[in-house]
Amino acid sequence: MTEAGKQHQVCPYYLSRELQNTADVVFMPYNYLIDPEIRKTLTVPLEGSILIFDEAHNLESICGDAASFDLTAQDLASCIKEITHALDIVQRPAYQGDMTAEDLAQLKALLLMLEEVIDNKPLGMDGYTADGRDIFKIFEQVKITYDTKQLVTEIIEKTIQLLNDDNESVATHTAPSLDTLNNILKFIFKRPLSDQHPSQYYKVHIHVDKNNRGGRNDGFFSRNKNNMSNKEPRTLSYWCFNPGVAMEELASYGVRSIILTSGTLSPLDSFAYELKTPFPIRLENPHVIDPSQVCVSVVCRGPKNHALNSAYKNREIPEYKLDLGNAIVNFVRIVPDGVLVFFPSYAALTSCIDSWKQPTSEGESVWERISKRKQTVIEPREGALFPAAIDSFYQKLNDDAYTGAVFFAVCRGKVSEGLDFADRNGRAVVITGIPFPALEDPKVKLKRDYLDKVPPVPGLKQLRGGEWYAQQASRAVNQAIGRVIRHRRDYGAVLLCDERFAEKRTRDQLSAWLRPYVQVYDTFGASVGRLTQFFRAVDSPDHPLNQGGGGGDVKKGKVPIKTRYNPPAQTGSSSSSSSSTSASSRDEDLYDASRPPTAYTDKQAKKEDTSTRFLDRIANANSNAFKPHHPAPPPASTRDPPKTLSAQLLSQTLGKRDSTSVPDSLSFSSSSSSLSSSSQSPSKRGGASSAPTPSPARNDIRAMLLGQGKAKPVALFADPTSTPSHAAASTPQSAASPKPQ
């Protein structure tokens, strides 16, 4: 898309916005759908659509954040600055608009009063906390209520428009803070107060802004600045502890199905409870690899027999940090190529590395001993520096003077979330501790307290605060572990360097595919011996990875290029017949193996190429005439093909009127752990495409997806962490069957 934009001198963003109007599948970050302010800017109709959320393990927090807000002292200060500039505009002799200085002065006074109300709240050790409905009392003190909200938002919107229209303010005086305040007011007063008001799921919290402790003597305020400069800035927070609020709002648009996929959704019951959605269909898959391709060890003690335990009380013990470093020195000697080392937090990472750089009684520091074997890279805190860090890791990994590279990172960081360290990029993952959320964090405390007090939901397993707290840590661990073993011919080791992983309740929180392989070692020598044996076995000619079947040197990172599926051999005298057979084989396997294959109309011949048409218009914009695009008509023999059985079922299920525009197959692959939909014709697939032979489990899923003529709740779960794995979906019932998007 970017290359097309450069070639035709158009903005790729607006090009994609144009193309989405006729697209069957639209990709976007899922916060675009969850966040109400972003969602309202989209032109994609949600009614009747099927929504697929990949990497959905973050959906809970995204939903909670989308239904919450934080109003900082800096936000209020910026709002007042913007209003002050608007006052300057209306007081110009040439101004002829309808905005009055009196309205702006009153708005400024309201915000100064709001800042004073927030400042006067008594703060305890954890700040000020109140029930959700207290937010209305706070704004009532500054005369903003359900009765006056409309008038206040109208003045704010006029002020924003005034600033945007002012020629002298376009470059430097936009109104982002007033826009934020306007959205907050609309959010608070969106629904009338009642016993079922969502405020019951909220807490009001006021706390000192630790990121801006320098005071507020910034010249923004019109009242006595000398009294303000010594006060610490405060933040007013309105936190939602029921992520289901955002999910229910999304479902209210009449979406047909919601499908969630991830490798770290388990335990599934608690995830469903958090989103307040039953998810009637669930699936957890085993991994696609052979047991000989993974080594999972719990390393309880270091080389000098010191217990490895990264609990907060142990992290600063010198003996612990030294033995952890010595353990990593041994690991990088044994493990080839890339090694990923994850810490519970940036503080733990920094503390250990600083300690390892200090000289020891043996002469060389731990850091020097690690660096002799593998070059080191440290994950930066600043997001802008991360691309340079990952590029440095790949460059160092290919330096023949070393045996590879080691990347020191943190759980929940960028390295642990979305990057693919396949093959030699990641031969081992070392987990140095359990990344529990900060126990003293007010939001964590309030979340635990909310879950302990909330009444049970019928049909859903109750989740208590302690369980939620433990699951946040285990999901972060599982996500980091998922960086190793990214495809069926990959291999690697997982080293859990914390004795708490030896406890059954902790191991039970690991991903389902990983648990059968976990071995607990009480001595460091035993764990190192197992690791050495594993990598020697992989190099052995007798190892399954070295027994042919795909070619390519996986250990050197050269992954064989081959089709994901191995379809049954097709017969036919011509390429066209082979193509037709390949295209329809999945329908035959599921529904009627005796039915002859049916040719499908080429969708591209029936539908204009939207991207080409749009770019043609751009290219001819100077002549003020758009060149019409006339696709060649399809052959008469394929113009109106009969519907296959799967097309008929989908036509009923999804509300399609034209069989040629619905998918000719839906398949769920256990090997790839992904849900796929195919609506292309044989010619678009390139002739003899690879068609999978559905397993009985997939037949059941497909039958549930395709076997009913009315809207039906759908949910899919799968488990391998190396690919999109846990999948869940829920469908709100709708009266009609609108056209899916």
Side-chain angles (χ1 to χ4, degrees):
M1 189 68 73
T2 302
E3 291 301 319
K6 290 179 179 178
Q7 180 180 355
H8 295 273
Q9 297 298 304
V10 296
C11 174
Y13 172 75
Y14 285 103
L15 174 60
S16 63
R17 290 290 295 263
E18 172 75 13
L19 296 178
Q20 75 177 13
N21 295 324
T22 53
D24 293 319
V25 180
V26 179
F27 293 88
M28 68 183 72
Y30 59 68
N31 62 303
Y32 280 29
L33 293 176
I34 299 300
D35 191 303
E37 297 307 317
I38 301 177
R39 184 173 61 235
K40 70 182 182 181
T41 66
L42 301 177
T43 59
V44 178
L46 295 179
E47 184 177 1
S49 298
I50 298 174
L51 307 183
I52 302 176
F53 293 89
D54 191 19
E55 299 294 342
H57 53 274
N58 288 326
L59 191 59
E60 169 207 335
S61 60
I62 294 292
C63 285
D65 291 344
S68 307
F69 70 78
D70 295 292
L71 182 63
T72 68
Q74 186 63 42
D75 290 332
L76 287 173
S78 298
C79 285
I80 292 175
K81 183 179 181 180
E82 292 164 6
I83 295 172
T84 301
H85 183 71
L87 275 168
D88 294 339
I89 296 174
V90 300
Q91 290 172 353
R92 295 172 186 168
Y95 176 71
Q96 297 181 348
D98 59 352
M99 176 65 74
T100 65
E102 181 182 1
D103 286 343
L104 291 172
Q106 290 179 350
L107 180 60
K108 184 175 181 178
L110 289 180
L111 298 188
L112 289 170
M113 291 171 58
L114 177 59
E115 192 271 343
E116 187 172 1
V117 168
I118 295 173
D119 273 349
N120 290 337
K121 291 293 183 182
L123 301 187
M125 292 293 295
D126 296 328
Y128 171 86
T129 302
D131 289 336
R133 295 205 173 203
D134 197 63
I135 194 71
F136 301 105
K137 297 178 181 178
I138 290 176
F139 280 93
E140 186 178 6
Q141 290 180 264
V142 299
K143 312 303 181 185
I144 301 178
T145 64
Y146 276 98
D147 294 330
T148 63
K149 180 265 302 182
Q150 185 67 30
L151 176 61
V152 174
T153 55
E154 286 179 359
I155 295 176
I156 292 176
E157 289 169 358
K158 287 183 179 180
T159 305
I160 294 172
Q161 188 64 44
L162 174 66
L163 293 172
N164 290 337
D165 292 343
D166 181 46
N167 291 332
E168 297 179 8
S169 67
V170 171
T172 58
H173 293 287
T174 55
S177 297
L178 280 175
D179 192 50
T180 298
L181 177 63
N182 193 43
N183 291 333
I184 286 175
L185 293 178
K186 290 181 177 180
F187 175 75
I188 293 173
F189 296 100
K190 179 167 58 176
R191 300 181 185 179
L193 276 175
S194 66
D195 292 339
Q196 301 301 319
H197 193 273
S199 59
Q200 62 184 306
Y201 308 123
Y202 284 77
K203 291 291 183 183
V204 173
H205 188 75
I206 299 175
H207 57 278
V208 173
D209 187 353
K210 297 180 180 179
N211 297 323
N212 185 19
R213 286 180 173 270
R216 292 175 292 196
N217 190 13
D218 47 24
F220 291 169
F221 295 89
S222 60
R223 60 195 178 106
N224 189 343
K225 301 182 185 65
N226 292 329
N227 293 334
M228 291 293 299
S229 59
N230 294 325
K231 289 188 176 183
E232 292 184 306
R234 295 184 177 186
T235 295
L236 169 65
S237 298
Y238 191 50
W239 289 332
C240 177
F241 296 110
N242 177 9
V245 170
M247 187 60 70
E248 289 172 0
E249 184 175 348
L250 183 62
S252 68
Y253 283 83
V255 298
R256 188 173 191 84
S257 298
I258 298 176
I259 301 173
L260 313 181
T261 72
S262 178
T264 49
L265 291 184
S266 63
L268 308 184
D269 286 335
S270 65
F271 199 86
Y273 179 82
E274 280 284 83
L275 296 179
K276 299 297 183 289
T277 308
F279 297 128
I281 303 173
R282 308 178 183 184
L283 176 66
E284 290 186 83
N285 271 356
H287 211 294
V288 297
I289 60 171
D290 185 84
S292 64
Q293 293 173 240
V294 63
C295 171
V296 187
S297 301
V298 177
V299 185
C300 297
R301 294 188 172 272
K304 295 187 177 181
N305 206 36
H306 194 283
L308 299 181
N309 188 316
S310 73
Y312 186 77
K313 62 181 180 180
N314 298 329
R315 288 182 188 174
E316 295 305 317
I317 297 176
E319 292 79 9
Y320 159 72
K321 290 190 284 187
L322 179 60
D323 231 13
L324 177 62
N326 288 330
I328 293 175
V329 169
N330 281 272
F331 296 153
V332 299
R333 287 174 178 169
I334 300 169
V335 179
D337 304 317
V339 177
L340 309 177
V341 181
F342 290 99
F343 290 81
S345 65
Y346 278 107
L349 181 152
T350 303
S351 177
C352 282
I353 290 180
D354 288 346
S355 174
W356 295 342
K357 290 182 178 180
Q358 301 300 317
T360 65
S361 58
E362 300 172 356
E364 286 183 317
S365 68
V366 171
W367 192 254
E368 290 172 334
R369 293 161 61 198
I370 293 174
S371 302
K372 274 188 175 181
R373 296 282 180 173
K374 298 184 187 295
Q375 296 191 75
T376 58
V377 180
I378 302 173
E379 180 178 6
R381 284 177 178 265
E382 300 82 5
L385 301 179
F386 184 76
I390 193 66
D391 288 343
S392 175
F393 175 74
Y394 290 137
Q395 291 173 6
K396 293 178 178 180
L397 191 63
N398 293 315
D399 189 340
D400 293 336
Y402 296 85
T403 63
V406 55
F407 208 139
F408 293 95
V410 295
C411 294
R412 301 190 186 90
K414 289 184 178 295
V415 175
S416 68
E417 281 293 327
L419 294 183
D420 186 357
F421 293 90
D423 303 314
R424 66 187 303 262
N425 293 333
R427 285 301 179 210
V429 165
V430 181
I431 306 294
T432 65
I434 303 178
F436 289 106
L439 188 59
E440 298 303 317
D441 187 315
K443 198 170 186 178
V444 172
K445 285 184 175 182
L446 291 173
K447 175 71 173 183
R448 295 183 63 174
D449 183 66
Y450 168 81
L451 289 174
D452 286 336
K453 294 179 179 179
V454 68
V457 177
L460 296 176
K461 184 180 178 181
Q462 185 84 351
L463 176 67
R464 294 303 181 187
E467 296 175 283
W468 170 85
Y469 185 71
Q471 288 172 13
Q472 296 305 299
S474 62
R475 284 193 176 126
V477 168
N478 289 331
Q479 196 64 23
I481 291 174
R483 299 314 95 203
V484 72
I485 308 182
R486 305 295 296 178
H487 56 84
R488 72 178 185 89
R489 290 185 58 79
D490 203 355
Y491 66 93
V494 177
L495 304 169
L496 306 173
C497 297
D498 193 310
E499 62 181 358
R500 290 175 292 178
F501 283 108
E503 301 173 5
K504 184 179 183 302
R505 63 178 182 178
T506 304
R507 296 200 307 274
D508 287 346
Q509 297 292 325
L510 297 175
S511 295
W513 74 269
L514 196 70
R515 293 174 214 152
Y517 308 128
V518 177
Q519 297 291 326
V520 179
Y521 297 98
D522 294 327
T523 65
F524 185 75
S527 62
V528 169
R530 173 69 184 96
L531 187 66
T532 304
Q533 291 175 355
F534 171 74
F535 283 105
R536 284 180 178 172
V538 172
D539 284 333
S540 169
D542 297 329
H543 194 276
L545 289 177
N546 302 320
Q547 296 297 310
D553 189 348
V554 178
K555 289 186 279 298
K556 294 298 182 183
K558 300 175 182 177
V559 182
I561 300 175
K562 57 184 297 184
T563 57
R564 183 179 299 278
Y565 305 108
N566 294 316
Q570 304 293 337
T571 59
S573 58
S574 66
S575 59
S576 60
S577 63
S578 176
S579 174
S580 300
T581 305
S582 174
S584 59
S585 60
R586 279 168 286 181
D587 286 325
E588 296 175 42
D589 292 336
L590 179 59
Y591 298 108
D592 186 0
S594 63
R595 178 172 50 83
T598 304
Y600 280 77
T601 300
D602 187 348
K603 188 177 181 181
Q604 188 172 13
K606 290 183 69 68
K607 182 178 180 180
E608 294 182 358
D609 185 339
T610 309
S611 60
T612 303
R613 185 174 72 255
F614 183 72
L615 292 173
D616 285 342
R617 293 180 180 180
I618 296 296
N620 293 282
N622 292 334
S623 63
N624 297 321
F626 294 131
K627 181 186 297 183
H629 183 76
H630 300 290
S637 60
T638 61
R639 190 166 296 158
D640 296 302
K643 294 182 180 179
T644 63
L645 180 57
S646 67
Q648 295 174 19
L649 289 171
L650 279 169
S651 179
Q652 298 172 12
T653 305
L654 304 180
K656 285 283 191 178
R657 292 183 296 236
D658 181 1
S659 67
T660 63
S661 63
V662 304
D664 63 348
S665 66
L666 284 175
S667 65
F668 185 83
S669 164
S670 296
S671 61
S672 64
S673 303
S674 61
L675 180 70
S676 61
S677 174
S678 172
S679 60
Q680 296 180 346
S681 68
S683 61
K684 290 187 81 173
R685 293 193 188 98
S689 62
S690 300
T693 302
S695 65
R698 293 207 300 274
N699 289 351
D700 293 340
I701 295 168
R702 293 172 66 183
M704 286 184 284
L705 281 169
L706 307 179
Q708 299 293 333
K710 61 181 180 179
K712 189 174 183 64
V714 176
L716 296 176
F717 284 95
D719 191 19
T721 59
S722 61
T723 53
S725 31
H726 282 356
S730 172
T731 305
Q733 297 292 339
S734 56
S737 298
K739 179 180 178 181
Q741 303 297 325

